[in-house]
Amino acid sequence: MVAMQTPIEALLEEGRKFAPGEAFIQQANVKDHSIYEKAKQDLEGFWAEQAEQFVWFKKWDEVLKWECPWAQWFVGGELNITVNCIDRHLKTWRRNKAAFIWEGEPGEERVLTYADLHREVCKFANVLKRLGVMKGDRVALYLPMIPELPIAMLACARIGAPHTIVFGGFSAESLRDRINDAQAKVLVTADGGWRRGNIVPLKRNADEAVSQCPSIEQVVVVHRGVMDATHVPLHEGRDHWWHRLMEEAPLHCEPEPVDSEHPLYILYTSGTTAKPKGVVHTTAGYMVGCAATHRWIFDLKEEDVYWCTADIGWVTGHSYIVYGPLANGTTGVMYEGSPDYPAWDRWWSIIEKYGVTVLYTTPTAIRAFMRQGEGHPRRHDLSSLRLLGTVGEPINPEAWMWYREHIGGARCPVVDTWWQTETGMILISPLPGVTTTKPGSATTPFPGVEADVVDEQGRSVPLGGGGYLVLKKPWPAMLRTLYGDPDRYVQIYWSRFPGMYFTGDGCKRDKEGYFWLLGRVDDVMNVSGHRISTMEVESALVYHPDVAEAAVTGKAHDVKGQAITAFVTLKAGVQGTQEKVDELKKHVATKIGPLARPDDIFFTAELPKTRSGKIMRRLLRDIAEGRALGDTTTLADPTAVQHLREMYEEQEA
Ligand code: WTA
């Protein structure tokens, strides 16, 4: 069985090692350790050399200004990221190279060359201007995985309007909260999207959200075609069809020069409270960091067909479908739908059809494929693949080995990449031509990245030990603040250990200095690689009129990494029936989005609390995962938790 609960001690005994093959090294972008040395000796010079490769309207005066925790990179520089992601390539043979090869879930195909992308981005930038969007205004995007999504992002960047993308799996309420926090002026959405043959009702959710978003002045609707256009209600004076606006839009749009530190986007992510955090990324450092990591970690070549399977609604899509790859002039595959539609071999057929060479995906997807057996990949020619990557959660060695053998034909290096929405770029990962990999380890920090493992007091833990993962030096793509809440930025990331960035992840290092990520140490769950806070789900639950109290915990799950388990106390007189369970699950999905639907809801008369009234989530997790109960001495009523466990086990059985 997939051993998600593998104790770290067992992981550290993982003896398998895979050194890069001679043939791979021969052709690799990075062949030796010299860039690690270079970055160590002169961090600023190292990143400046990367930045030199781009087009600047005005060159920077200073590479880095670091007044912990406030960073500025390429200070005084002026640029436009779309010039670097698009215009720059038009003067080369890449003009007619595919930027995106897109496939819709029902099977349509669309190819956008760099010249096509330029035209569409300029036109939509003009549309945004016509709708009154000015430099600095926020634009919200709530779209399926269709080419209009990167087009809209880049159009925003072209005119200096930060975008804020809300993943299509979020509910109307989540969309509303994010729009209101960002005070977005325009929303771009679609009639709907396809997911496993079902319609995702984006426009309906958007209408519900926008009715409570006073900042939204205009809504642009892409006709994805999941509904007949005449059945899509358009609000007079507010809603416009994308295709109508584009018909009239001029083809030329001058790129707006922006400061290096001009905000490129806000992306909301879950933290330890119920309120999502608006992570702010700026322009120059982000671009340079994404491009360099993309080129070196994925060993990107001109002729590669690169496919990152993430949704652009998450940071992985921002950095490694759009900005990093386009900055490198990459051909990227984009797929709209679900991996099991119409069958479990959809991805393998896409790889075969387009000759994908580099695949970047998640451990959850790999584990789901493992369950379906190797027959599906075996039926397809996957020989075009030459490198594999994973991201989003710890990968168990079994899944890593399965990926290597059954997808990579035992010939492709596997890069397990650790990073976060906040870090903007990959920070811990192998370099495939240099690093000897070990299944289950993200290996070592990227050149110039100073990661450490520290104890409660912030003291570095010697090799072989575990603790909290921290970062001790700034990196170019780091978040700059939380939107509208600089104090929270300081408090969450920089206060736990003064002078260090606190990642919220637990980590062990083996004797050779390899990093083994252990998952979150705070109240954040990682469900299929998606970050969801226990507090968000709890507050959605207690919003239900029948719920008195709720405590939520992540429970180890063979495929998803973690599954959401909720312990709920109902109000007096309400029956804890199966119907109530279903109703509450649906309620959470409506409040937050289908991705936050609890797997299990367990009713209890009482939740284990400390004498001061704090819910002991740690104990609930022990119960949910069937472990011996941890320390119960601080509980107000230690017998209650025993009782709770017995009831839980009864209900499970
Ligand atoms: C987890 C996704 C282990 C980690 C890019 C982190 C990982 C959180 C890995 C960020 C990995 C991401 N190994 N754990 N290779 N990559 N994580 O913000 O807990 O959606 O803090 O960014 O995912 O999730 P986020």
Side-chain angles (χ1 to χ4, degrees):
M1 202 53 259
V2 181
M4 274 314 292
Q5 294 104 318
T6 316
I8 185 68
E9 284 65 30
L11 276 181
L12 293 181
E13 280 161 22
E14 171 62 57
R16 288 167 290 198
K17 286 187 181 182
F18 297 93
E22 260 320 304
F24 192 93
I25 299 173
Q26 282 301 319
Q27 60 82 61
N29 288 349
V30 183
K31 297 179 171 54
D32 58 48
H33 282 87
S34 59
I35 63 169
Y36 289 95
E37 281 312 307
K38 206 159 152 186
K40 197 171 189 170
Q41 274 156 24
D42 177 14
L43 183 70
E44 295 182 21
F46 172 77
W47 285 113
E49 196 182 314
Q50 293 309 307
E52 295 281 0
Q53 302 164 20
F54 292 99
V55 176
W56 297 80
F57 294 131
K58 179 174 169 287
K59 206 183 152 175
W60 61 90
D61 308 312
E62 204 182 335
V63 176
L64 169 66
K65 199 163 164 202
W66 177 230
E67 286 156 0
C68 183
W70 308 105
Q72 292 176 60
W73 283 86
F74 307 108
V75 187
E78 278 183 21
L79 74 164
N80 186 289
I81 198 167
T82 70
V83 170
N84 287 295
C85 287
I86 313 173
D87 303 43
R88 187 162 69 98
H89 307 309
L90 301 184
K91 298 185 194 106
T92 70
W93 76 273
R94 288 181 187 150
R95 180 178 185 85
N96 295 316
K97 177 179 178 177
F100 289 115
I101 300 172
W102 174 82
E103 187 167 299
E105 193 182 77
E108 322 94 299
E109 282 172 38
R110 243 176 102 185
V111 176
L112 283 170
T113 65
Y114 276 91
D116 294 333
L117 188 61
H118 183 258
R119 184 189 63 239
E120 298 300 304
V121 167
C122 286
K123 281 169 70 179
F124 197 63
N126 285 323
V127 166
L128 290 173
K129 281 193 199 168
R130 215 192 98 194
L131 295 177
V133 178
M134 316 251 276
K135 184 175 181 174
D137 286 343
R138 274 80 57 215
V139 175
L141 310 178
Y142 184 58
L143 286 164
M145 279 289 283
I146 53 177
E148 284 78 4
L149 178 49
I151 291 168
M153 293 164 82
L154 293 157
C156 289
R158 187 107 182 148
I159 62 174
H163 53 73
T164 183
I165 304 182
V166 181
F167 172 58
F170 278 118
S171 67
E173 288 186 35
S174 298
L175 174 63
R176 175 198 67 196
D177 294 346
R178 285 158 176 77
I179 291 176
N180 286 337
D181 191 80
Q183 288 291 293
K185 198 167 176 177
V186 166
L187 169 67
V188 184
T189 187
D191 54 338
W194 290 117
R195 189 78 196 167
R196 208 164 283 128
N198 299 315
I199 292 174
V200 185
L202 296 175
K203 178 62 163 69
R204 198 177 74 202
N205 292 346
D207 282 343
E208 201 181 317
V210 171
S211 67
Q212 295 172 59
C213 297
S215 65
I216 294 288
E217 294 171 8
Q218 313 279 343
V219 177
V220 181
V221 187
V222 177
H223 189 221
R224 168 69 189 99
V226 304
M227 285 164 78
D228 190 291
T230 54
H231 293 158
V232 182
L234 290 193
H235 292 239
E236 188 69 35
R238 188 197 74 182
D239 296 357
H240 316 266
W241 282 120
W242 169 291
H243 55 275
R244 290 265 172 276
L245 294 170
M246 288 291 265
E247 274 166 18
E248 300 151 18
L251 289 175
H252 181 78
C253 178
E254 274 302 309
E256 178 75 29
V258 303
D259 187 87
S260 290
E261 285 296 328
H262 186 73
L264 176 65
Y265 67 82
I266 304 166
L267 182 58
Y268 287 86
T269 187
S270 295
T272 49
T273 67
K275 188 176 178 280
K277 309 173 288 194
V279 168
V280 176
H281 282 293
T282 60
T283 306
Y286 177 78
M287 172 185 78
V288 171
C290 288
T293 46
H294 182 253
R295 193 164 60 247
W296 288 335
I297 293 168
F298 300 107
D299 189 48
L300 203 92
K301 301 291 177 347
E302 194 68 82
E303 59 276 18
D304 271 317
V305 179
Y306 162 88
W307 183 20
C308 166
T309 65
D311 190 289
I312 294 178
W314 305 107
V315 75
T316 305
H318 285 62
S319 299
Y320 297 109
I321 295 179
V322 182
Y323 293 111
L326 295 178
N328 289 326
T330 310
T331 291
V333 170
M334 228 180 120
Y335 168 58
E336 176 187 34
S338 163
D340 57 348
Y341 189 86
W344 273 102
D345 67 344
R346 183 64 182 269
W347 282 16
W348 319 130
S349 77
I350 290 175
I351 290 172
E352 182 171 19
K353 184 162 159 195
Y354 302 109
V356 171
T357 56
V358 178
L359 178 67
Y360 190 30
T361 191
T362 63
T364 287
I366 297 164
R367 289 190 293 260
F369 289 124
M370 271 173 89
R371 278 211 161 170
Q372 303 304 319
E374 54 256 29
H376 293 292
R378 208 186 295 134
R379 272 194 294 280
H380 294 272
D381 179 3
L382 305 181
S383 62
S384 56
L385 288 171
R386 63 179 203 89
L387 189 131
L388 305 174
T390 77
V391 61
E393 9 156 13
I395 183 164
N396 44 311
E398 287 84 343
W400 195 101
M401 288 302 296
W402 190 90
Y403 192 33
R404 181 185 139 83
E405 282 167 23
H406 297 289
I407 307 306
R411 71 183 177 274
C412 307
V414 177
V415 292
D416 172 6
T417 65
W418 178 90
W419 59 298
Q420 309 179 298
T421 304
E422 292 87 342
T423 70
M425 63 190 242
I426 297 167
L427 294 187
I428 303 179
S429 164
L431 290 182
V434 178
T435 315
T436 293
T437 53
K438 302 182 187 181
S441 169
T443 72
T444 55
F446 189 77
V449 173
E450 205 177 307
D452 199 0
V453 173
V454 299
D455 64 14
E456 290 287 344
Q457 277 73 47
R459 289 175 305 222
S460 184
V461 175
L463 296 187
Y468 303 105
L469 179 66
V470 296
L471 301 162
K472 292 182 158 173
K473 269 196 187 142
W475 61 98
M478 66 192 277
L479 82 165
R480 299 303 197 259
T481 188
L482 292 178
Y483 189 71
D485 206 348
D487 294 343
R488 204 171 162 213
Y489 164 72
V490 177
Q491 185 244 320
I492 291 178
Y493 303 106
W494 299 93
S495 303
R496 181 81 166 75
F497 304 111
M500 301 178 210
Y501 171 90
F502 178 54
T503 62
D505 278 349
C507 186
K508 274 208 179 188
R509 264 182 312 198
D510 65 21
K511 290 275 193 271
E512 292 179 312
Y514 278 56
F515 288 67
W516 298 78
L517 276 303
L518 302 175
R520 305 288 306 190
V521 293
D522 52 15
D523 292 327
V524 176
M525 298 173 286
N526 191 327
V527 180
S528 304
H530 303 321
R531 269 165 75 172
I532 301 167
S533 98
T534 55
M535 296 287 285
E536 262 174 301
V537 181
E538 285 169 12
S539 77
L541 281 167
V542 295
Y543 207 81
H544 190 282
D546 293 341
V547 174
E549 229 177 3
V552 166
T553 174
K555 169 185 174 175
H557 186 277
D558 283 347
V559 175
K560 299 197 265 192
Q562 282 191 308
I564 302 175
T565 302
F567 292 81
V568 170
T569 307
L570 293 168
K571 286 197 181 145
V574 181
Q575 290 300 313
T577 58
Q578 184 56 44
E579 287 70 43
K580 194 55 69 189
V581 168
D582 297 339
E583 183 185 331
L584 291 180
K585 286 184 181 177
K586 190 159 166 244
H587 170 79
V588 174
T590 316
K591 280 265 164 208
I592 305 173
L595 74 168
R597 180 194 300 270
D599 268 35
D600 296 305
I601 292 184
F602 175 75
F603 295 121
T604 169
E606 215 171 348
L607 292 168
K609 287 187 190 154
T610 60
R611 273 169 278 245
S612 58
K614 228 177 133 223
I615 295 173
M616 298 277 282
R617 285 194 192 73
R618 177 173 58 75
L619 289 180
L620 292 173
R621 196 161 152 192
D622 289 343
I623 292 175
E625 297 186 339
R627 262 195 307 272
L629 291 178
D631 187 9
T632 57
T633 49
T634 54
L635 281 181
D637 179 6
T639 52
V641 69
Q642 246 331 316
H643 183 61
L644 176 61
R645 153 169 250 160
E646 283 154 19
M647 285 183 32
Y648 179 81
E649 282 165 359
E650 231 166 73
Q651 194 162 314
E652 281 281 277

